[in-house]
Amino acid sequence: MNPEYLYYACAIAAVILSGLAKGGFAGVGALAMPIMALGVDPVRGAAILLPILILQDVVSVWSFRHSWDRHILKVMLPGMAMGVAIGYFFAAQVSEVAVLGVLGLISTLFGLQRLWIERGGAIVLPSGSPGWVGVLFGVASGFTSQIAHAGSPPFQMWVLPKRLPRDTLVGTTAIAFAMLNWMKVPAYAALGQFTRTNLMATAMLIPVAIAATLAGVVLVRRVDAARFYTLIYVLMVLLGIKLMADALLA
C-alpha cells in the first residue's frame, strides 16, 4: 500500500477506536496506538493523537466533575508525572525501533491481561495497600501512557480493589487521565513533535473523533459487548506481536 494511504487508513482507524472508547467502549482505545504505529513513527503517531485525547477529556471531566476521590489523585498523580518523565527520556535516548518494540510489548501484555480478566482471572491487591504502592502503579501508568496512550491497566490495578462508587470511579479516572494527558504535552513538545504538519494532521482527524465518540454513545447499547471486546483484545495481542517482530527485524 502507498505509505500515505497506509498512514491515513491507520490514523482514521485509530481515531475511531479512541472515539468509541470515549463514547462508552472503555478499553478499546488502547488499540489505537498499535494501529497508528503500523502507518507512522510511534512517537509522531502518539503526538498526533494527544490533542484529540485532550479534547475528548473535556466531556468526561465536565460530566463527572463533582464525583472524584481526592486521596487517589493525590497518590497517583505524582507517580504518573514521574512515569511520563521516564517515558520521555526513554523516547529521547533510544531509536524509533526501540520505541516500536516497547509499544508492541505493552500492547501484547495489555491484550493478554484483558483476555485473562474476561475469563475470570485477576490480579488482586489489598484494598488498603499503602500509598507508596499507588505511587509505583502511577509511575507504570504514566510510562505506558507516554509511550502508548495505554496507562489504564496499572491505574485500574491499584484503584479497582478500593471498590469506589461507580460515579466516583469514573470521575476519578476521567480527571486523572485528563491531567495525565496534559502532563504529556511538555514531553512531546520537547521531543519536537508538535510541528505544523502534525498539528494539521490532528485537525483533520478531529471531526472523525467527534463522530466516533457520538457513535460510541449510541452503539454501546446495541452491540454484543463480550464478542466485541474479545475481538479487540485478540487483535491487540496480534498487533503487539507484529510490532515487536518488526522491531527485532529492523
Side-chain angles (χ1 to χ4, degrees):
M1 183 182 290
N2 183 299
E4 185 175 355
Y5 293 157
L6 178 62
Y7 159 71
Y8 281 112
C10 293
I12 291 171
V15 170
I16 288 173
L17 287 168
S18 175
L20 290 175
K22 294 295 182 179
F25 290 97
V28 171
L31 186 57
M33 267 310 301
I35 289 179
M36 194 76 162
L38 295 176
V40 68
D41 159 14
V43 177
R44 183 187 173 208
I48 290 171
L49 288 179
L50 181 57
I52 293 173
L53 297 177
I54 289 173
L55 286 175
Q56 291 171 327
D57 285 334
V58 173
V59 175
S60 54
V61 170
W62 178 260
S63 300
F64 292 92
R65 64 192 183 279
H66 299 305
S67 304
W68 51 282
D69 187 287
R70 184 182 301 273
H71 173 70
I72 288 176
L73 294 181
K74 182 178 178 180
V75 171
M76 296 290 283
L77 288 175
M80 287 177 161
M82 288 187 280
V84 168
I86 294 169
Y88 159 71
F89 285 113
F90 176 80
Q93 296 298 322
V94 304
S95 66
E96 173 190 327
V97 171
V99 176
L100 190 69
V102 171
L103 172 59
L105 178 62
I106 291 171
S107 302
T108 302
L109 292 176
F110 180 93
L112 290 173
Q113 184 228 17
R114 297 308 305 179
L115 288 170
W116 185 48
I117 288 175
E118 283 196 352
R119 282 153 180 75
I123 298 175
V124 180
L125 294 174
S127 60
S129 58
W132 65 266
V133 176
V135 173
L136 291 179
F137 277 93
V139 172
S141 181
F143 178 81
T144 54
S145 186
Q146 172 68 19
I147 297 296
H149 294 322
S152 182
F155 180 87
Q156 291 178 346
M157 287 172 67
W158 192 69
V159 173
L160 290 183
K162 299 185 180 302
R163 299 186 179 277
L164 299 174
R166 185 200 64 180
D167 286 358
T168 303
L169 173 62
V170 174
T172 303
T173 303
I175 292 172
F177 281 92
M179 297 181 74
L180 175 58
N181 283 332
W182 276 106
M183 291 177 194
K184 293 185 284 189
V185 170
Y188 280 103
L191 290 169
Q193 291 298 323
F194 290 136
T195 62
R196 179 181 177 83
T197 300
N198 287 355
L199 291 175
M200 287 294 293
T202 297
M204 291 176 64
L205 292 168
I206 286 175
V208 179
I210 294 172
T213 302
L214 295 175
V217 173
V218 175
L219 291 174
V220 73
R221 297 178 177 87
R222 303 182 180 181
V223 174
D224 184 342
R227 291 184 180 180
F228 182 75
Y229 279 118
T230 298
L231 175 61
I232 289 293
Y233 298 138
V234 169
L235 285 174
M236 193 174 299
V237 172
L238 294 176
L239 280 174
I241 293 172
K242 182 188 185 306
L243 295 177
M244 287 191 290
D246 289 346
L248 289 172
L249 298 173

Coordinates of all heavy atoms in Angstrom, one line a residue, residues 116-188:
W116 N -7.3 -12.5 29.9 CA -7.3 -13.3 31.1 C -8.4 -12.8 32.1 O -9.1 -13.7 32.7 CB -5.9 -13.1 31.8 CG -5.7 -14.0 33.0 CD1 -6.0 -15.3 33.1 CD2 -5.2 -13.6 34.3 NE1 -5.7 -15.8 34.3 CE2 -5.2 -14.8 35.1 CE3 -4.7 -12.4 34.8 CZ2 -4.7 -14.7 36.4 CZ3 -4.3 -12.4 36.1 CH2 -4.3 -13.5 36.9
I117 N -8.6 -11.5 32.2 CA -9.6 -11.0 33.1 C -11.0 -11.4 32.6 O -11.9 -11.8 33.4 CB -9.5 -9.5 33.3 CG1 -8.3 -9.1 34.1 CG2 -10.8 -8.9 33.9 CD1 -8.0 -7.6 34.2
E118 N -11.2 -11.4 31.3 CA -12.5 -11.8 30.8 C -12.8 -13.2 31.1 O -14.0 -13.6 31.1 CB -12.5 -11.6 29.2 CG -12.7 -10.1 28.8 CD -13.1 -10.0 27.4 OE1 -13.1 -11.0 26.7 OE2 -13.4 -8.9 27.0
R119 N -11.8 -14.0 31.3 CA -12.0 -15.4 31.6 C -12.0 -15.7 33.1 O -11.8 -16.9 33.5 CB -11.0 -16.3 30.9 CG -11.4 -16.4 29.4 CD -10.2 -16.7 28.5 NE -10.7 -16.8 27.1 CZ -11.1 -15.8 26.3 NH1 -11.1 -14.6 26.8 NH2 -11.5 -16.0 25.1
G120 N -12.1 -14.7 33.9 CA -12.2 -14.9 35.4 C -10.9 -14.7 36.1 O -11.0 -14.7 37.4
G121 N -9.8 -14.4 35.5 CA -8.6 -14.2 36.2 C -8.5 -12.7 36.7 O -9.2 -11.9 36.3
A122 N -7.6 -12.5 37.7 CA -7.5 -11.2 38.2 C -6.2 -11.1 39.0 O -5.7 -12.1 39.5 CB -8.6 -10.8 39.1
I123 N -5.6 -9.9 39.0 CA -4.5 -9.6 40.0 C -5.1 -8.7 41.0 O -5.4 -7.6 40.8 CB -3.4 -8.9 39.2 CG1 -2.8 -9.8 38.1 CG2 -2.3 -8.5 40.2 CD1 -1.7 -9.1 37.3
V124 N -5.2 -9.3 42.2 CA -6.0 -8.6 43.3 C -5.0 -8.0 44.3 O -4.2 -8.7 44.9 CB -7.0 -9.5 44.0 CG1 -7.7 -8.7 45.1 CG2 -7.9 -10.1 43.0
L125 N -5.0 -6.7 44.5 CA -4.2 -6.1 45.5 C -5.1 -5.8 46.7 O -6.3 -5.7 46.6 CB -3.7 -4.7 45.0 CG -2.6 -4.8 43.9 CD1 -2.3 -3.4 43.4 CD2 -1.4 -5.5 44.3
P126 N -4.5 -5.8 47.9 CA -5.4 -5.4 49.1 C -6.0 -4.0 48.9 O -5.3 -3.1 48.4 CB -4.3 -5.4 50.2 CG -3.2 -6.2 49.7 CD -3.1 -6.0 48.3
S127 N -7.2 -3.9 49.3 CA -7.9 -2.6 49.2 C -7.2 -1.5 50.0 O -7.3 -0.3 49.6 CB -9.4 -2.7 49.6 OG -9.5 -3.1 51.0
G128 N -6.5 -1.9 51.0 CA -5.8 -0.9 51.8 C -4.4 -0.8 51.6 O -3.6 -0.5 52.5
S129 N -3.9 -1.2 50.4 CA -2.4 -1.1 50.2 C -1.9 0.3 50.4 O -2.6 1.2 50.1 CB -2.1 -1.6 48.8 OG -2.8 -0.8 47.8
P130 N -0.7 0.4 50.9 CA -0.1 1.7 51.2 C 0.0 2.6 50.0 O 0.1 2.2 48.9 CB 1.2 1.4 51.9 CG 1.6 0.0 51.4 CD 0.3 -0.7 51.2
G131 N 0.2 3.9 50.3 CA 0.3 4.9 49.3 C 1.4 4.7 48.4 O 1.3 5.0 47.2
W132 N 2.6 4.2 48.9 CA 3.7 4.1 48.0 C 3.5 3.1 46.9 O 4.1 3.2 45.8 CB 5.0 3.7 48.8 CG 4.9 2.4 49.5 CD1 4.6 2.1 50.8 CD2 5.3 1.1 49.0 NE1 4.7 0.8 51.1 CE2 5.1 0.1 50.0 CE3 5.8 0.7 47.7 CZ2 5.4 -1.2 49.8 CZ3 6.1 -0.6 47.5 CH2 5.9 -1.6 48.5
V133 N 2.6 2.1 47.2 CA 2.2 1.1 46.1 C 1.5 1.9 45.0 O 1.7 1.7 43.8 CB 1.4 0.0 46.7 CG1 0.9 -0.9 45.6 CG2 2.2 -0.8 47.8
G134 N 0.6 2.8 45.4 CA -0.1 3.6 44.4 C 0.8 4.5 43.6 O 0.6 4.6 42.4
V135 N 1.8 5.0 44.3 CA 2.8 5.8 43.5 C 3.5 5.0 42.5 O 3.7 5.4 41.3 CB 3.8 6.4 44.5 CG1 4.9 7.1 43.7 CG2 3.2 7.4 45.4
L136 N 3.9 3.7 42.8 CA 4.6 2.8 41.9 C 3.6 2.5 40.7 O 4.1 2.5 39.5 CB 5.0 1.6 42.5 CG 6.1 1.7 43.6 CD1 6.5 0.3 44.2 CD2 7.4 2.3 42.9
F137 N 2.4 2.2 41.0 CA 1.4 2.0 39.9 C 1.2 3.2 39.1 O 0.9 3.2 37.9 CB 0.1 1.4 40.4 CG 0.2 -0.1 40.7 CD1 0.5 -0.6 41.9 CD2 -0.1 -1.0 39.6 CE1 0.6 -2.0 42.1 CE2 0.0 -2.3 39.8 CZ 0.3 -2.8 41.1
G138 N 1.3 4.4 39.7 CA 1.2 5.7 39.0 C 2.3 5.8 38.0 O 2.2 6.3 36.9
V139 N 3.5 5.5 38.5 CA 4.7 5.5 37.6 C 4.5 4.6 36.4 O 4.8 5.0 35.2 CB 6.0 5.1 38.3 CG1 7.2 5.0 37.4 CG2 6.3 6.1 39.4
A140 N 4.0 3.4 36.6 CA 3.8 2.5 35.5 C 2.7 3.1 34.5 O 2.8 3.0 33.3 CB 3.4 1.1 36.0
S141 N 1.7 3.7 35.1 CA 0.6 4.2 34.3 C 1.1 5.4 33.5 O 0.8 5.5 32.3 CB -0.5 4.7 35.2 OG -1.6 5.2 34.5
G142 N 1.9 6.3 34.1 CA 2.5 7.4 33.3 C 3.4 7.0 32.2 O 3.4 7.5 31.1
F143 N 4.2 5.9 32.5 CA 5.2 5.5 31.4 C 4.4 4.9 30.3 O 4.7 5.2 29.1 CB 6.1 4.4 32.0 CG 7.1 3.9 31.0 CD1 8.2 4.6 30.7 CD2 6.8 2.6 30.4 CE1 9.1 4.0 29.7 CE2 7.7 2.1 29.5 CZ 8.9 2.8 29.1
T144 N 3.5 3.9 30.5 CA 2.8 3.3 29.4 C 1.9 4.3 28.7 O 1.7 4.2 27.5 CB 1.9 2.1 30.0 OG1 1.1 2.6 31.0 CG2 2.8 1.0 30.5
S145 N 1.4 5.3 29.4 CA 0.6 6.3 28.7 C 1.5 7.2 27.8 O 1.1 7.6 26.7 CB -0.1 7.2 29.8 OG -1.0 8.1 29.1
Q146 N 2.7 7.5 28.3 CA 3.6 8.4 27.5 C 4.0 7.6 26.2 O 4.1 8.2 25.1 CB 4.8 8.7 28.3 CG 5.9 9.4 27.5 CD 5.6 10.8 27.0 OE1 4.6 11.4 27.6 NE2 6.3 11.3 26.1
I147 N 4.3 6.3 26.3 CA 4.7 5.6 25.2 C 3.6 5.1 24.3 O 3.7 5.2 23.0 CB 5.5 4.3 25.6 CG1 6.8 4.7 26.4 CG2 5.9 3.4 24.5 CD1 7.8 5.5 25.6
A148 N 2.5 4.8 24.9 CA 1.4 4.1 24.1 C 0.0 4.6 24.3 O -1.0 4.0 23.8 CB 1.5 2.6 24.3
H149 N -0.2 5.7 25.1 CA -1.5 6.1 25.5 C -2.3 5.0 26.1 O -3.5 4.8 25.8 CB -2.3 6.7 24.3 CG -1.7 8.0 23.8 ND1 -1.1 9.0 24.6 CD2 -1.6 8.5 22.5 CE1 -0.7 10.0 23.8 NE2 -0.9 9.7 22.6
A150 N -1.6 4.2 26.9 CA -2.2 3.0 27.5 C -1.9 2.9 29.0 O -1.4 1.9 29.4 CB -1.7 1.7 26.7
G151 N -2.3 3.9 29.7 CA -2.0 4.0 31.1 C -3.1 3.4 32.0 O -2.9 3.3 33.2
S152 N -4.1 2.9 31.4 CA -5.3 2.4 32.2 C -5.0 1.2 33.1 O -5.4 1.2 34.2 CB -6.5 2.2 31.3 OG -7.6 1.8 32.0
P153 N -4.4 0.1 32.5 CA -4.2 -1.1 33.3 C -3.5 -0.9 34.7 O -4.0 -1.3 35.7 CB -3.4 -2.0 32.4 CG -3.8 -1.6 31.0 CD -3.9 -0.1 31.1
P154 N -2.3 -0.2 34.7 CA -1.7 0.0 36.0 C -2.6 0.8 37.0 O -2.7 0.5 38.2 CB -0.4 0.7 35.7 CG -0.1 0.4 34.3 CD -1.5 0.3 33.6
F155 N -3.2 1.8 36.4 CA -4.1 2.6 37.3 C -5.3 1.8 37.9 O -5.5 1.9 39.1 CB -4.7 3.8 36.4 CG -5.6 4.7 37.1 CD1 -5.2 5.8 37.8 CD2 -7.0 4.5 37.1 CE1 -6.0 6.7 38.4 CE2 -7.9 5.3 37.7 CZ -7.4 6.4 38.4
Q156 N -5.9 1.0 37.0 CA -7.0 0.2 37.5 C -6.6 -0.9 38.5 O -7.4 -1.2 39.4 CB -7.7 -0.5 36.3 CG -8.4 0.5 35.4 CD -9.1 -0.2 34.2 OE1 -8.7 -1.3 33.9 NE2 -9.9 0.5 33.5
M157 N -5.4 -1.4 38.3 CA -4.9 -2.5 39.3 C -4.8 -2.0 40.7 O -5.1 -2.7 41.6 CB -3.6 -3.0 38.8 CG -3.7 -3.9 37.5 SD -2.1 -4.4 36.8 CE -1.5 -5.4 38.2
W158 N -4.5 -0.7 40.9 CA -4.5 -0.1 42.2 C -5.8 0.4 42.7 O -6.1 0.3 43.9 CB -3.4 0.9 42.3 CG -3.1 1.3 43.8 CD1 -2.5 0.5 44.7 CD2 -3.4 2.5 44.4 NE1 -2.4 1.2 45.9 CE2 -3.0 2.4 45.8 CE3 -4.1 3.7 44.0 CZ2 -3.1 3.4 46.7 CZ3 -4.2 4.7 45.0 CH2 -3.8 4.6 46.3
V159 N -6.6 1.0 41.8 CA -7.8 1.7 42.2 C -9.0 0.8 42.3 O -9.8 0.9 43.2 CB -8.1 2.8 41.1 CG1 -9.4 3.4 41.4 CG2 -7.0 3.9 41.2
L160 N -9.2 -0.2 41.4 CA -10.4 -1.0 41.4 C -10.6 -1.8 42.7 O -11.7 -1.9 43.2 CB -10.4 -2.0 40.2 CG -10.6 -1.4 38.9 CD1 -10.6 -2.5 37.8 CD2 -11.8 -0.6 38.8
P161 N -9.5 -2.3 43.4 CA -9.8 -3.0 44.7 C -10.4 -2.2 45.7 O -10.9 -2.7 46.7 CB -8.4 -3.5 45.1 CG -7.6 -3.6 43.8 CD -8.1 -2.5 43.0
K162 N -10.3 -0.8 45.6 CA -10.9 0.1 46.6 C -12.4 0.1 46.5 O -13.1 0.7 47.4 CB -10.3 1.5 46.4 CG -8.8 1.4 46.6 CD -8.2 2.8 46.6 CE -6.7 2.7 46.8 NZ -6.3 2.1 48.1
R163 N -13.0 -0.5 45.4 CA -14.5 -0.6 45.2 C -15.1 0.8 45.4 O -16.1 0.9 46.3 CB -15.0 -1.6 46.2 CG -14.5 -3.0 45.9 CD -15.2 -4.1 46.7 NE -14.6 -5.4 46.5 CZ -15.0 -6.1 45.4 NH1 -15.9 -5.7 44.6 NH2 -14.4 -7.3 45.3
L164 N -14.7 1.8 44.7 CA -15.3 3.1 44.8 C -16.8 3.0 44.2 O -17.0 2.2 43.3 CB -14.5 4.1 44.0 CG -13.1 4.3 44.4 CD1 -12.4 5.3 43.4 CD2 -13.0 4.9 45.8
P165 N -17.6 3.9 44.6 CA -18.9 4.0 43.9 C -18.7 4.3 42.4 O -17.7 4.9 42.0 CB -19.6 5.2 44.6 CG -18.9 5.3 45.9 CD -17.5 4.8 45.7
R166 N -19.6 3.8 41.6 CA -19.4 3.9 40.1 C -19.1 5.3 39.7 O -18.1 5.5 38.9 CB -20.7 3.4 39.4 CG -20.5 3.4 37.9 CD -21.9 3.4 37.2 NE -22.6 4.7 37.4 CZ -23.8 5.0 37.0 NH1 -24.4 4.1 36.2 NH2 -24.3 6.1 37.2
D167 N -19.9 6.3 40.0 CA -19.6 7.7 39.5 C -18.3 8.2 40.1 O -17.6 8.9 39.3 CB -20.7 8.6 39.9 CG -22.0 8.4 39.1 OD1 -22.0 7.5 38.2 OD2 -23.0 9.1 39.4
T168 N -17.9 7.8 41.3 CA -16.6 8.3 41.8 C -15.5 7.7 41.1 O -14.5 8.3 40.8 CB -16.5 7.9 43.3 OG1 -17.6 8.5 44.0 CG2 -15.2 8.4 43.9
L169 N -15.6 6.4 40.7 CA -14.6 5.7 40.0 C -14.4 6.3 38.6 O -13.3 6.6 38.1 CB -14.9 4.2 39.8 CG -14.0 3.4 38.9 CD1 -12.6 3.4 39.4 CD2 -14.5 2.0 38.7
V170 N -15.6 6.5 37.9 CA -15.5 7.1 36.5 C -14.9 8.5 36.6 O -14.1 8.9 35.8 CB -16.9 7.1 35.9 CG1 -16.9 7.8 34.6 CG2 -17.4 5.7 35.7
G171 N -15.4 9.3 37.6 CA -14.9 10.7 37.7 C -13.5 10.8 38.0 O -12.7 11.6 37.5
T172 N -13.0 10.0 39.0 CA -11.6 10.0 39.3 C -10.7 9.5 38.2 O -9.7 10.1 37.9 CB -11.4 9.0 40.5 OG1 -12.2 9.4 41.6 CG2 -9.9 9.0 41.0
T173 N -11.2 8.5 37.4 CA -10.4 8.1 36.3 C -10.4 9.2 35.2 O -9.3 9.4 34.6 CB -11.0 6.8 35.7 OG1 -11.1 5.8 36.7 CG2 -10.3 6.3 34.5
A174 N -11.5 9.8 35.0 CA -11.5 10.9 33.9 C -10.6 12.0 34.3 O -9.8 12.5 33.4 CB -13.0 11.4 33.8
I175 N -10.6 12.5 35.5 CA -9.8 13.6 35.9 C -8.3 13.2 35.9 O -7.5 14.0 35.5 CB -10.2 14.1 37.3 CG1 -11.6 14.7 37.3 CG2 -9.2 15.1 37.9 CD1 -12.2 15.1 38.6
A176 N -8.0 12.0 36.4 CA -6.6 11.5 36.5 C -6.0 11.5 35.1 O -4.9 12.0 34.8 CB -6.5 10.2 37.1
F177 N -6.8 11.0 34.1 CA -6.2 10.8 32.8 C -6.2 12.1 32.0 O -5.4 12.4 31.1 CB -6.8 9.7 32.0 CG -6.3 8.4 32.4 CD1 -6.9 7.6 33.5 CD2 -5.1 7.8 31.9 CE1 -6.4 6.4 33.9 CE2 -4.6 6.6 32.3 CZ -5.2 5.9 33.3
A178 N -7.2 13.0 32.3 CA -7.2 14.3 31.7 C -5.9 15.1 32.1 O -5.2 15.7 31.3 CB -8.4 15.1 32.1
M179 N -5.6 15.0 33.4 CA -4.4 15.7 33.9 C -3.1 15.0 33.4 O -2.1 15.6 33.1 CB -4.4 15.7 35.5 CG -5.5 16.5 36.0 SD -5.6 16.5 37.9 CE -4.2 17.6 38.2
L180 N -3.2 13.7 33.3 CA -2.0 12.9 32.7 C -1.8 13.3 31.3 O -0.6 13.5 30.9 CB -2.3 11.4 32.8 CG -1.2 10.5 32.2 CD1 0.1 10.7 32.8 CD2 -1.7 9.0 32.4
N181 N -2.8 13.5 30.5 CA -2.6 13.9 29.1 C -2.0 15.3 29.0 O -1.2 15.5 28.1 CB -4.0 13.8 28.4 CG -4.4 12.4 28.0 OD1 -3.5 11.5 27.8 ND2 -5.7 12.2 27.9
W182 N -2.4 16.2 29.9 CA -1.7 17.5 29.9 C -0.3 17.4 30.3 O 0.6 18.2 29.9 CB -2.5 18.5 30.8 CG -3.6 19.1 30.1 CD1 -5.0 18.8 30.3 CD2 -3.6 20.1 29.1 NE1 -5.7 19.6 29.5 CE2 -4.9 20.4 28.7 CE3 -2.5 20.8 28.5 CZ2 -5.2 21.4 27.7 CZ3 -2.8 21.7 27.5 CH2 -4.2 22.0 27.1
M183 N 0.1 16.5 31.2 CA 1.5 16.3 31.6 C 2.3 15.9 30.4 O 3.5 16.2 30.4 CB 1.6 15.2 32.7 CG 1.0 15.5 34.0 SD 1.1 14.0 35.1 CE 0.1 14.5 36.5
K184 N 1.7 15.2 29.5 CA 2.5 14.7 28.3 C 2.8 15.8 27.3 O 3.6 15.6 26.4 CB 1.7 13.5 27.7 CG 1.6 12.3 28.5 CD 1.0 11.1 27.8 CE -0.5 11.2 27.7 NZ -1.1 10.0 27.2
V185 N 2.1 16.9 27.4 CA 2.2 17.9 26.4 C 3.7 18.5 26.4 O 4.3 18.5 25.3 CB 1.2 19.1 26.6 CG1 1.6 20.3 25.7 CG2 -0.2 18.6 26.3
P186 N 4.3 18.9 27.5 CA 5.6 19.3 27.5 C 6.6 18.3 27.0 O 7.6 18.6 26.3 CB 5.9 19.7 29.0 CG 4.6 19.9 29.6 CD 3.7 19.0 28.9
A187 N 6.3 17.0 27.3 CA 7.3 15.9 26.9 C 7.3 15.8 25.4 O 8.3 15.7 24.7 CB 6.8 14.6 27.5
Y188 N 6.1 15.8 24.7 CA 6.0 15.7 23.3 C 6.5 17.0 22.6 O 7.1 17.0 21.5 CB 4.6 15.4 22.8 CG 4.3 13.9 23.0 CD1 3.5 13.4 24.0 CD2 4.8 13.0 22.1 CE1 3.3 12.1 24.2 CE2 4.6 11.6 22.2 CZ 3.8 11.2 23.3 OH 3.6 9.9 23.4

